[in-house]
Amino acid sequence: MSAWLEVGPDNYVLETPGRLLNTGLVVGQERAMVIDTGCGPRQGREILAAVREKTELPLVVVNTHAHYDHYFGNAVFADDGATEFWAHVNCAATIDDDGDHQRRLVADIEPEMAAGSGDEAEIVIPNAIVKDQPVLVDLGGLTVTLFYLGRGHTDGDLLVGTPSTLFTGDLVEQGAHPSFEDSYPEEWADVLRHISALRHRYEFLIPGHGKPCSDQFVKTLADTMTTAVRQARQSIRDMPTDATKAIPVLPYGPEQSRWFIKRLQETQPHH
Ligand SMILES: [Zn+2]
């Protein structure tokens, strides 16, 4: 069974087995905030049961971005009484447009979610929207800041800052290569640099998957990504007909390097 790790007063992180998603929990005096809900009702219920070991307070939910493992558990929390589901505007739009399409990704692990049938298999679209300006959410004696630093892992990655802890979603992953499928690699490196510069404000930095990280870890991720952008651009210039030749020189696995090059070509900045 999963266990909570305490990261600062009233801040917890739950690493659920299997998918190794980090769910955050921030407990105020009147409400508690759950950050990311799992890849379907099965995992969502595990997370909710773990949350209920910690607190009986009404829950507020945050989805850090529009990848299935971070929001497919929302309906479980709606059934538990949550009415406020926070996300960046682009994340909410992607869940609305693409949520049903992502069901196929959980066929092996969450068959009911994949089929769209059974209890708590509906897609709950976030209804509390963050745009470019930070939003403060009062949990009673504890204020959480939801903010956006630009495009990175996706076009709608929300960060969650508390007095002690920064939850980054998949902008930072520990123990695995970054996931580039929906990414903006050049902008992502800038976002990572920004996160690493914020680090003095937070004692704990919690990635979307993996163990708590240091600011130096995030800085290294940023530097690696910037170098990879330069290497891949050079290869694309040298071998425009076959940019995949750059794969062996990139610092990521072959599959992620392929996505990296594809997204770099698709997201050419205008200069
Ligand atoms: Zn993701």
Side-chain angles (χ1 to χ4, degrees), residues 233-245:
R233 287 231 179 282
Q234 185 63 47
S235 297
I236 293 166
R237 268 195 300 275
D238 293 349
M239 297 168 283
T241 54
D242 188 8
T244 59
K245 292 233 165 62

Side-chain angles (χ1 to χ4, degrees), residues 33-260:
M33 177 179 281
V34 174
I35 303 152
D36 289 337
T37 60
C39 58
R42 185 196 51 75
Q43 190 182 7
R45 284 181 208 118
E46 281 178 21
I47 293 169
L48 178 63
V51 166
R52 286 306 178 208
E53 287 170 15
K54 281 279 171 217
T55 178
E56 286 303 319
L57 289 172
L59 301 176
V60 181
V61 172
V62 177
N63 298 132
T64 56
H65 63 290
H67 284 156
Y68 65 91
D69 47 333
H70 299 261
Y71 72 90
F72 268 7
N74 281 5
V76 171
F77 290 83
D79 274 6
D80 186 69
T83 57
E84 223 173 280
F85 292 80
W86 287 94
H88 185 262
V89 59
N90 294 343
C91 168
T94 302
I95 291 175
D96 195 4
D97 293 344
D98 192 44
D100 274 314
H101 187 63
Q102 290 183 24
R103 288 183 187 273
R104 71 199 156 82
L105 301 171
V106 298
D108 295 340
I109 44 175
E110 294 270 2
E112 290 190 3
M113 195 69 198
S117 64
D119 271 357
E120 297 168 330
E122 68 269 33
I123 286 168
V124 175
I125 301 164
N127 57 3
I129 299 302
V130 180
K131 295 181 180 168
D132 290 342
Q133 293 302 311
V135 170
L136 304 182
V137 180
D138 180 11
L139 302 178
L142 199 167
T143 300
V144 177
T145 307
L146 307 179
F147 61 105
Y148 180 65
L149 293 176
R151 302 191 294 189
H153 173 65
T154 68
D155 67 358
D157 301 291
L158 199 59
L159 291 109
V160 181
T162 79
S164 63
T165 305
L166 180 64
F167 297 91
T168 67
D170 290 358
L171 285 168
V172 180
E173 285 191 51
Q174 185 275 334
H177 288 306
S179 295
F180 290 109
E181 286 90 328
D182 298 313
S183 73
Y184 297 79
E186 292 203 273
E187 293 163 70
W188 192 353
D190 291 338
V191 170
L192 288 170
R193 227 163 262 116
H194 197 150
I195 291 172
S196 114
L198 285 177
R199 179 64 173 86
H200 64 276
R201 290 203 203 162
Y202 304 101
E203 196 178 341
F204 300 95
L205 196 155
I206 308 303
H209 305 267
K211 303 293 174 206
C213 304
S214 66
D215 59 329
Q216 189 53 50
F217 177 84
V218 177
K219 172 117 187 351
T220 302
L221 284 181
D223 291 345
T224 302
M225 214 173 280
T226 297
T227 304
V229 167
R230 199 164 44 231
Q231 288 169 326
R233 287 231 179 282
Q234 185 63 47
S235 297
I236 293 166
R237 268 195 300 275
D238 293 349
M239 297 168 283
T241 54
D242 188 8
T244 59
K245 292 233 165 62
I247 288 172
V249 303
L250 292 177
Y252 307 116
E255 165 81 6
Q256 281 311 318
S257 294
R258 210 175 293 277
W259 279 111
F260 181 86

